[in-house]
Amino acid sequence: MSDKQRKILVTSALPYANGSIHMGHLVEYLQTDIWVRFQKMRGHLCTYVCASDAHGTPIMIKAREQGVTPEALTEAFSEEFKRDFADFGVDFDNYHTTHSSENEALTVEMYEALRARGDIYTKTIEQAYDEKEGMFLPDRFVRGTCPVCKSEDQYGDSCEVCGSTYSPSDLIDPVSVVSGTTPVKRESEHYFFRLGNYETMLRDWMRDAGLDKNMLAKLEEWFEAGLQDWDISRDAPYFGFAIPGTKDKFFYVWLDAPVGYPASFKNLCERRDDLDFDDYWRPGNDTEVFHFIGKDIMYFHTLFWPAVLHGSGFRTPTSVFAHGFLTVNGKKMSKSRGTFIKARTYLDNLEPSYLRYYYAAKLGPTIEDIDLNLEDFVARVNSDLVGKLVNIASRCAGFINKRFEGRLADTLPDESLFKEVADAAEPVASFMENREYSKAMRQIMLLADAANRYIDEHKPWVMIKDEDRQAEVHGVCTQGINLFRSLMIYLSPVLPAVSDKARAFLNEPAWQWSDATKPLLFTSINKFEPLLTRVESKQVEKMVEESKEAPAPVEDGEPVADDEPTISIDDFMKVDLRIARIEKAEPVEGADKLLQLTLDVGDFKRQVFAGIKAAYAPDDLIGRHVIVVANLAPRKMRFGVSEGMVLAAGPGGKDIFLLSADDGAVPGMRVK
RNA sequence: GGUGAUGUAGCUCAGAUGGUCAGAGCGGCGGACUCAUAACCCGCAGGUCGGUGGUUCAAUUCCACCCAUCACCA
């Protein structure tokens, strides 16, 4: 059925080796692993490599905090990752690290090639420097008061409160996160990559890669904004690779991280006679290279990476597949809700097969987020996997074992039903190839329903009581077992562990995809053991409980926002509401909804952008008293900084109603 | 604020160049069965397909605007 054997190299993004693997990471590794297993079953030479991302300042600092070397820290995490992945059935052909000789050699080779072609230049930039620690500080490692809204303890690159972006030197009272001292500004020479030289090449590449339309839209956005040159160097001390010809410059972690893909592959090639590095990484071969990534790192994989590869004489990826994020119970993962679930916590409580199936049942080829709804998870796994699929074998096996000495009959009584299942081989394969796993799972479950219906209609438990109908029972159960078997073959990439047990039950060697189209007849099978047990809600609850108690383990994890159903009076009093008089009101050029208001708040004036243009004419507003939130963090908008918020009610559009005070109130009065 | 995406039965999701497109699974209700891990089989769900306008003979499906949620803004 398959065309000629393809040679495919597949990667998943490299996990950063300073925190544990969690349920969000697993979306990607399971999605990739399923695809790779599918390709292998189709008879292709498919190789799956990955590595730990070991470099960069966060790892260096964390190692320092723990009093270990960065090598030791990342090795420890790598070992943990390998165990987690193995236990989830993620079957890498090689798992390496970016802190490797292969990676260094390739990174340097690429850099030298880019430099030779004039794509690298140096420029002196000014950066925050920690004199006590003797190191330059990445923006995220400087905190201080936001220069725009005066919120305290904000990162050096942007304010989480008002959304402004700035540089660390703009912060008020900046502090180094590392030493607690005040950073100084210091100049340093940095190396830049001329990404702008590659626009035409990148446009060609993305067209050929057949990227998802959502990805293309995003890329188009970046092209329109203009491709910026890329700072690829960092100053010592830094955990990474030294830039040749320099004493104290290192490659930025994001330069050598993707090089970890070919480096891991190169490491594998040394042990495998059937794989040749150049076949996969030099231009002009008919091999394929695919990267599975999260949508958050598209910029690196669809712009920098293809450009660097192309510029340095390597082949570009065949395509890049981006997936969305994971939510749990419809919300961001949260430590306090117990939905920030680490891979190990899951494994301590539940079967990996459950999650593999659940993700498969939800995954499509787009960058849409997927939701792990824990109630749905229990219902779906029990219903589909145990109630439908495994049940087919379970209800037939007893008859075969007890009445027919474990032998299958030599013909199928209903060949057309078997054909219906066999004919699904190519459509299901097509879904799998295109990463439309949810469609594949739906198709398979429909066929499982048909199988159960078949058994129900023929009622072997009735016929068995009639001595003349024993052969019919034999046939019906052989039919049932074969329907189960073909469906199990289709599910093998998703459920390798269950598949192995099923093969043991059926006494068969490793399956290929095409085996699903040929029935298994006149052969002995083994005693049926439960292939998968039901999920109990209690197990899920226990996992959530254990996740709640887990100490905050991940430093680069997503910020966690939790529900706050009520506020205290103190919280309310933090809001400084004031009476203000509108001095000026004018439309904002380029904004459909905004009016720019100048407010007199007694002792001071404020400029506010309010989205009330549809409801109020500017002239009608002048002189009016309104209520303004005076201590709202200023927000940088495209048109200027808005220094407060005018209170209004209503759903929006024309239905906006400004709040005002009764006569007697004067600008500056506090509202409470 | 800009850009992109999403918003369909209690839950998770399908769906169509605009006219059998209002669907599936789960849950729920009723029935049947007892081979099977309380699994399976049959029947029942009347959800204004986020809201408001518009185009059209006809819109959930096209357009505009609005609302909500999410992501990105290097």
Side-chain angles (χ1 to χ4, degrees):
Chain A
M1 281 298 194
S2 314
D3 303 319
K4 81 176 183 51
Q5 190 189 43
R6 294 160 62 186
K7 292 158 123 184
I8 310 170
L9 175 60
V10 179
T11 71
S12 294
L14 312 187
Y16 199 59
N18 77 338
S20 298
I21 300 295
H22 56 65
M23 304 296 274
H25 290 110
L26 285 167
V27 171
E28 175 169 316
Y29 299 97
L30 294 180
Q31 180 189 37
T32 315
D33 184 69
I34 288 167
W35 202 73
V36 169
R37 286 177 183 271
F38 166 72
Q39 298 299 351
K40 288 178 175 173
M41 282 186 75
R42 294 287 274 179
H44 300 308
L45 178 59
C46 186
T47 310
Y48 181 18
V49 300
C50 196
S52 286
D53 185 3
H55 291 153
T57 306
I59 280 174
M60 183 176 75
I61 303 245
K62 182 153 192 162
R64 205 180 277 189
E65 281 169 7
Q66 297 188 359
V68 297
T69 62
E71 287 87 346
L73 177 79
T74 56
E75 274 167 30
F77 270 113
S78 280
E79 290 309 310
E80 180 186 315
F81 292 172
K82 283 191 213 173
R83 283 193 299 273
D84 288 346
F85 287 137
D87 289 347
F88 267 100
V90 176
D91 189 19
F92 299 120
D93 287 281
N94 195 38
Y95 190 86
H96 204 41
T97 168
T98 59
H99 194 62
S100 69
S101 55
E102 296 91 345
N103 199 35
E104 180 159 27
L106 285 167
T107 302
V108 168
E109 180 186 340
M110 288 179 191
Y111 166 76
E112 301 278 16
L114 294 174
R115 210 174 60 143
R117 151 194 239 268
D119 287 336
I120 305 289
Y121 65 94
T122 59
K123 187 170 75 179
T124 297
I125 64 167
E126 198 173 66
Q127 208 184 343
Y129 185 79
D130 185 324
E131 289 182 305
K132 183 165 176 221
E133 294 290 329
M135 63 181 285
F136 282 94
L137 295 165
D139 294 353
R140 302 292 281 186
F141 283 81
V142 181
R143 295 190 73 113
T145 302
C146 169
V148 180
C149 74
K150 314 289 190 281
S151 298
E152 292 176 6
D153 201 29
Q154 294 303 311
Y155 286 120
D157 53 353
S158 66
C159 173
E160 289 186 318
V161 178
C162 72
S164 311
T165 56
Y166 41 77
S167 70
S169 57
D170 298 330
L171 283 175
I172 301 166
D173 301 328
V175 168
S176 163
V177 171
V178 187
S179 69
T181 59
T182 304
V184 298
K185 287 186 217 168
R186 184 174 284 199
E187 289 193 334
S188 170
E189 187 176 59
H190 275 234
Y191 289 66
F192 287 82
F193 170 60
R194 294 186 203 275
L195 181 64
N197 286 356
Y198 289 83
E199 174 158 355
T200 308
M201 173 260 146
L202 286 169
R203 281 190 178 277
D204 290 344
W205 173 79
M206 65 189 241
R207 191 194 56 232
D208 295 342
L211 300 180
D212 175 70
K213 71 170 168 50
N214 289 328
M215 292 176 74
L216 288 174
K218 204 75 213 170
L219 283 168
E220 195 51 49
E221 217 180 307
W222 287 327
F223 280 120
E224 274 169 27
L227 301 182
Q228 303 295 302
D229 290 346
W230 186 29
D231 183 351
I232 58 163
S233 68
R234 293 296 183 270
D235 290 286
Y238 193 77
F239 186 52
F241 295 133
I243 298 181
T246 71
K247 277 239 175 301
D248 53 0
K249 306 289 180 191
F250 289 79
F251 290 116
Y252 174 43
V253 56
W254 260 114
L255 182 72
D256 72 63
V259 183
Y261 301 137
S264 179
F265 183 69
K266 185 161 204 156
N267 175 261
L268 176 65
C269 287
E270 286 160 21
R271 307 194 293 276
R272 289 266 299 262
D273 292 337
D274 57 337
L275 297 175
D276 178 67
F277 182 82
D278 288 351
D279 280 352
Y280 286 82
W281 287 102
R282 298 295 175 185
N285 289 293
D286 62 352
T287 55
E288 302 166 69
V289 173
F290 297 102
H291 300 304
F292 283 75
I293 60 165
K295 63 182 178 182
D296 52 329
I297 53 175
M298 270 177 55
Y299 200 84
F300 295 101
H301 285 80
T302 58
L303 296 178
F304 293 139
W305 180 230
V308 165
L309 284 169
H310 182 80
S312 58
F314 288 79
R315 65 88 53 83
T316 49
T318 311
S319 193
V320 173
F321 302 140
H323 59 79
F325 291 143
L326 179 76
T327 55
V328 180
N329 291 338
K331 296 181 175 169
K332 277 185 188 171
M333 297 190 295
S334 144
K335 282 171 194 162
S336 67
R337 275 193 287 267
T339 54
F340 197 104
I341 302 163
K342 296 207 283 190
R344 186 50 56 185
T345 313
Y346 177 98
L347 290 166
D348 287 343
N349 291 284
L350 295 162
E351 275 293 317
S353 296
Y354 303 152
L355 191 71
R356 293 182 67 106
Y357 177 73
Y358 190 75
Y359 280 173
K362 293 230 157 171
L363 272 170
T366 70
I367 59 172
E368 270 181 60
D369 294 350
I370 68 167
D371 185 42
L372 167 57
N373 181 290
L374 293 171
E375 249 178 73
D376 186 50
F377 169 82
V378 173
R380 184 139 201 176
V381 166
N382 285 340
S383 169
D384 287 2
L385 252 27
V386 182
K388 288 181 181 177
L389 182 83
V390 172
N391 186 44
I392 302 168
S394 179
R395 63 197 305 198
C396 293
F399 293 112
I400 297 282
N401 285 326
K402 284 178 210 149
R403 297 304 192 103
F404 307 104
E405 295 163 330
R407 285 193 84 75
L408 295 177
D410 54 359
T411 56
L412 290 179
D414 190 339
E415 298 213 359
S416 77
L417 177 58
F418 181 79
K419 186 166 183 303
E420 194 184 322
V421 173
D423 285 349
E426 289 313 305
V428 171
S430 173
F431 287 140
M432 297 300 288
E433 173 71 34
N434 295 319
R435 304 176 327 286
E436 296 178 294
Y437 300 163
S438 63
K439 288 186 178 171
M441 296 306 107
R442 204 173 313 131
Q443 180 74 39
I444 290 167
M445 286 309 145
L446 281 176
L447 293 168
D449 285 342
N452 275 310
R453 214 175 299 128
Y454 170 84
I455 296 166
D456 208 72
E457 282 163 2
H458 291 78
K459 306 192 191 327
W461 58 93
V462 173
M463 291 194 287
I464 199 73
K465 292 168 187 160
D466 184 341
E467 276 310 314
D468 298 334
R469 305 185 75 182
Q470 299 302 301
E472 281 182 69
V473 175
H474 200 189
V476 167
C477 292
T478 299
Q479 178 89 29
I481 294 282
N482 268 283
L483 298 174
F484 163 77
R485 173 178 169 275
S486 292
L487 296 177
M488 202 62 239
I489 291 172
Y490 300 150
L491 281 168
S492 292
V494 177
L495 303 171
V498 180
S499 175
D500 286 346
K501 282 191 191 173
R503 284 193 301 101
F505 162 58
L506 296 169
N507 254 335
E508 285 195 273
W511 279 325
Q512 289 288 298
W513 193 263
S514 55
D515 290 333
T517 62
K518 295 167 289 195
L520 181 71
L521 297 167
F522 202 62
T523 184
S524 286
I525 60 174
N526 293 314
K527 183 164 176 294
F528 181 78
E529 308 281 353
L531 300 174
L532 197 64
T533 53
R534 302 173 64 78
V535 199
E536 300 295 333
S537 298
K538 279 185 182 171
Q539 297 170 271
V540 173
E541 287 159 18
K542 183 160 163 280
M543 174 178 75
V544 169
E545 276 310 308
E546 289 174 12
S547 297
K548 275 181 192 167
E549 284 158 13
V554 179
E555 304 231 330
D556 66 339
E558 298 81 327
V560 175
D562 288 318
D563 297 341
E564 199 67 59
T566 61
I567 61 169
S568 69
I569 183 74
D570 291 340
D571 289 333
F572 173 72
M573 290 309 286
K574 288 179 189 163
V575 184
D576 185 11
L577 297 171
R578 301 278 179 160
I579 304 294
R581 193 178 64 84
I582 299 177
E583 274 196 349
K584 249 167 64 179
E586 45 203 15
V588 179
E589 187 148 348
D592 300 336
K593 294 181 281 193
L594 293 180
L595 288 182
Q596 180 173 358
L597 307 178
T598 305
L599 303 176
D600 171 11
V601 200
D603 297 339
F604 52 94
K605 298 203 190 309
R606 281 291 167 80
Q607 174 182 268
V608 170
F609 290 92
I612 57 174
K613 189 175 175 183
Y616 290 93
D619 290 347
D620 297 343
L621 290 170
I622 293 172
R624 244 190 98 147
H625 282 174
V626 293
I627 298 167
V628 63
V629 182
N631 64 341
L632 187 68
R635 187 169 175 86
K636 197 167 139 196
M637 296 182 168
R638 202 170 152 198
F639 318 100
V641 175
S642 185
E643 303 170 316
M645 185 170 82
V646 172
L647 298 188
K654 292 195 174 86
D655 294 323
I656 295 180
F657 309 98
L658 286 170
L659 270 60
S660 51
D662 282 348
D663 289 347
V666 297
M669 274 184 178
R670 177 102 197 239
V671 178
K672 52 190 176 180

